[in-house]
Amino acid sequence: MSRANRSIENLINFAGSVSGGNTQEVPEILRRMREEPEPFAVEVLAQRAQLARARQQCAVSAEAARKLEGMLEELLQGSALHCYQVLLREEARLAVVRLGGELRELPIHPTIDLEELRGLEPWDVLRVRENVVVGVCRDDPHLRAAAQGEIAEFRGYHDRARGQARVVRRGGEEEVVRLARSLADRELSPREKLVLHRSLPGFAIGVVPAEGARSRFEVPIAQIETRLCDLAGLDEIAGRLIEEILLRLIRADLSARFDLQPMRGALLMSYKPGMGKTALMRALARLLFELGQQQGFDVQLFLVKPNETKNLFHGEDARIVREDIWGAIRARQQEAHSRPLLQLLVLDEIDALGRRAGVDQPRTSAAEDDALQAFLVEMDGMEKEQTGDRTPARVLCVGMTNRPDRIDPALKRPGRFGDLVIDMPEIDLEGALGILSVYARKPSISWYLDRQPAAGVDLGTVQERILRPALARIFSAVVLRYFTDTQRTVEVTAGEILAG
């Protein structure tokens, strides 16, 4: 190919690239090259420079698009804050959320469908990143469980169409709350209670059914495994308690025949812990429960542990006594029941309830006075409420303490906890052997003999090599003292005698 032909071919290819591949314009290009070569060359160079600038701008734009896409991906997929939606402003695509204890308006990312936000329940949360709502976490049972807070009394509807109800929170006045969508469509009963949102108490998110609205102090007796046969050394006081309860609370015919006043309270006292008071009451409640199944009466147990009536806020101590304890007792009595009802209210460490200030007792807390006064008033008023033609319902209050000197004298009066006062017995040799025998008869227990664990050890070996040496270490009281020929004193203890 000649040099002229090669140049023409290059020009045709260049012309085609400039004209977008349209080779039909080649004759016109060749004509301009022959007739006006200089203007045509200037025009070609200008178009080439323009093309280079366009390519550079496209590269910059492509890089910016990649960076923007990465930022959006990070925005949507990265770590985010979680907050609750309070209100949705659809016209402005804004969500009113509670963030950092404040209500804030945040824009909603364009990829989020507003229909998804309309159907949120109060326990669902929004994902927020860089002050933009970028996602939704919904239908998570863990979120719903974590959002459950205070339980309030349902007092009726405020505006049924708008899903608003009237409630009474702990120790307060009536308030209006919004019902979650799952609650707005159902008919609420006046006896039901509403579960308020933990962080948004203006929302009710759950219901406590009337039949499940029980005190937090109630103990399911059917789940108690302790039996009187599992205890030792307490037979005498257990028999005394059972006899008094049967005669003065359960057997109404015998009470009327012998003109016995109902027993309203009992006090179990000891001056040191570990004497079996709590175990005795649990076993007694189980025994009465089983007896009731046979004889046709029901038993309910309330257990108040030490300092469970205490609260940081003033007035809450008395409210807990009035509502959480005695309120639950009254509510159960007002329920329809066809069989006699015995309610056991057991207060562990009753001295923690407080003591009123006196001449020799300085005032330490007004809340202690309020709680104690509330308990005395409720205990006295309960007997008046038990009159009438309804099925009998009795309440027995049992207090347990290691410090009888700290109990207010008003609690120890007859008609209160002074109806029956029992001193827990000290453990003697027979009682200690009985306690050890209780553990020894368990089939799964393993013994440690000759520095090795052993199973299936017979009872004689257990008593001789384990129980009696253990008693020898426990009972160190001297029962015999004599002098040898060298005037050396020799003492023999009860434990050494038991150990042979």
Side-chain angles (χ1 to χ4, degrees):
M1 180 181 296
S2 64
R3 183 174 181 181
N5 292 336
R6 190 181 301 113
S7 299
I8 293 175
E9 183 180 358
N10 291 337
L11 287 175
I12 293 175
N13 292 336
F14 174 72
S17 64
V18 172
S19 61
N22 186 5
T23 57
Q24 296 179 356
E25 299 180 3
V26 172
E28 177 64 20
I29 294 174
L30 294 176
R31 183 191 64 78
R32 291 189 58 191
M33 290 177 60
R34 289 192 301 268
E35 297 178 358
E36 42 187 19
E38 292 184 3
F40 180 75
V42 172
E43 182 179 347
V44 169
L45 293 176
Q47 290 180 354
R48 180 180 292 182
Q50 184 178 1
L51 179 62
R53 288 194 298 269
R55 288 176 176 173
Q56 184 178 5
Q57 290 176 357
C58 288
V60 172
S61 299
E63 181 65 21
R66 284 193 297 270
K67 290 182 178 180
L68 180 59
E69 183 179 2
M71 292 174 60
L72 291 177
E73 184 69 21
E74 182 182 0
L75 182 66
L76 294 175
Q77 303 297 332
S79 60
L81 299 175
H82 291 82
C83 57
Y84 294 107
Q85 176 179 280
V86 179
L87 183 66
L88 177 63
R89 295 181 55 190
E90 299 185 33
E91 66 283 355
R93 283 192 69 87
L94 294 175
V96 180
V97 303
R98 182 172 293 276
L99 190 62
E102 299 179 348
L103 293 179
R104 299 178 58 183
E105 289 185 345
L106 299 181
I108 302 170
H109 194 271
T111 59
I112 297 179
D113 188 0
L114 292 181
E115 184 65 30
E116 187 177 12
L117 300 185
R118 294 190 197 103
L120 291 183
E121 292 284 11
W123 55 82
D124 296 327
V125 297
L126 302 178
R127 298 179 67 247
V128 176
R129 185 173 175 82
E130 302 296 337
N131 292 326
V132 177
V133 178
V134 297
V136 179
C137 297
R138 59 181 305 173
D139 299 330
D140 189 337
H142 300 288
L143 289 176
R144 181 169 185 174
Q148 294 184 0
E150 183 180 342
I151 296 179
E153 300 284 346
F154 173 66
R155 293 299 175 86
Y157 288 100
H158 177 73
D159 189 334
R160 181 68 185 274
R162 296 186 178 183
Q164 296 177 334
R166 293 181 290 108
V167 300
V168 175
R169 299 174 62 187
R170 219 176 250 183
E173 303 292 335
E174 279 194 356
E175 299 179 14
V176 176
V177 299
R178 291 174 56 187
L179 299 175
R181 295 177 183 272
S182 56
L183 301 182
D185 297 335
R186 60 170 292 180
E187 185 70 28
L188 297 176
S189 168
R191 297 184 58 201
E192 292 177 318
K193 297 183 179 181
L194 297 180
V195 181
L196 303 184
H197 197 290
R198 184 178 299 276
S199 301
L200 305 174
F203 281 96
I205 62 175
V207 174
V208 179
E211 61 273 16
R214 292 289 183 262
S215 169
R216 59 189 175 98
F217 299 109
E218 184 177 353
V219 178
I221 302 181
Q223 299 179 10
I224 295 179
E225 299 180 355
T226 307
R227 304 293 194 276
L228 285 177
C229 61
D230 298 329
L231 308 179
L234 302 176
D235 297 344
E236 182 178 351
I237 62 173
R240 185 180 175 188
L241 266 171
I242 294 172
E243 180 181 356
E244 292 288 342
I245 292 174
L246 290 176
L247 288 177
R248 301 172 61 179
L249 289 174
I250 295 177
R251 292 293 301 274
D253 54 336
L254 295 178
S255 300
R257 179 180 177 184
F258 296 102
D259 194 23
L260 299 176
Q261 294 295 323
M263 183 171 62
R264 304 180 59 201
L267 189 62
L268 302 182
M269 303 190 308
S270 66
Y271 285 90
K272 57 183 178 181
M275 303 303 292
K277 298 185 294 295
T278 302
L280 174 62
M281 289 310 305
R282 293 178 65 86
L284 180 63
R286 179 69 192 198
L287 174 67
L288 293 173
F289 174 77
E290 294 176 348
L291 183 62
Q293 301 302 308
Q294 302 172 4
Q295 301 296 328
F297 63 91
D298 296 319
V299 181
Q300 185 182 25
L301 174 62
F302 295 91
L303 177 60
V304 182
K305 298 179 182 178
N307 295 320
E308 279 195 327
T309 61
K310 304 298 181 184
N311 194 278
L312 177 65
F313 301 101
H314 183 75
E316 276 293 288
D317 298 36
R319 189 208 61 78
I320 292 174
V321 170
R322 288 193 307 268
E323 300 180 13
D324 292 358
I325 298 178
W326 288 101
I329 293 176
R330 285 193 299 270
R332 181 64 185 273
Q333 290 187 353
Q334 292 171 2
E335 293 178 359
H337 53 275
S338 58
R339 308 199 311 175
L341 175 64
L342 173 62
Q343 293 172 292
L344 294 176
L345 174 57
V346 180
L347 293 94
D348 197 1
E349 305 298 346
I350 190 176
D351 51 280
L353 190 61
R355 184 171 182 172
R356 294 173 298 177
V359 177
D360 58 344
Q361 183 72 22
R363 178 183 295 273
T364 57
S365 172
E368 290 187 357
D369 282 5
D370 295 343
L372 180 58
Q373 293 285 11
F375 195 94
L376 294 175
V377 170
E378 294 290 343
M379 190 174 183
D380 292 341
M382 185 59 63
E383 182 174 357
K384 300 177 182 179
E385 297 181 8
Q386 292 174 359
T387 60
D389 299 331
R390 293 181 301 174
T391 305
R394 297 291 184 185
V395 180
L396 175 61
C397 301
V398 181
M400 301 183 295
T401 180
N402 298 323
R403 294 296 305 269
D405 55 303
R406 291 186 178 181
I407 301 177
D408 191 279
L411 287 173
K412 295 187 285 187
R413 287 171 42 193
R416 292 172 179 163
F417 289 89
D419 284 350
L420 180 62
V421 179
I422 297 179
D423 288 318
M424 299 297 294
E426 293 287 341
I427 300 178
D428 54 11
L429 297 179
E430 182 180 356
L433 186 58
I435 293 173
L436 291 173
S437 298
V438 169
Y439 290 96
R441 68 170 179 255
K442 293 184 177 180
S444 60
I445 192 169
S446 60
W447 303 99
Y448 200 74
L449 297 174
D450 301 327
R451 302 180 182 275
Q452 295 293 331
V457 182
D458 62 275
L459 183 59
T461 303
V462 170
Q463 291 180 342
E464 185 67 25
R465 299 187 57 181
I466 297 177
L467 298 188
R468 291 187 178 278
L471 291 175
R473 303 181 66 178
I474 295 173
F475 295 99
S476 58
V478 175
V479 296
L480 179 63
R481 178 182 293 114
Y482 63 93
F483 297 91
T484 66
D485 294 339
T486 59
Q487 299 301 311
R488 184 172 63 88
T489 302
V490 177
E491 296 180 346
V492 179
T493 66
E496 291 172 335
I497 295 177
L498 289 172

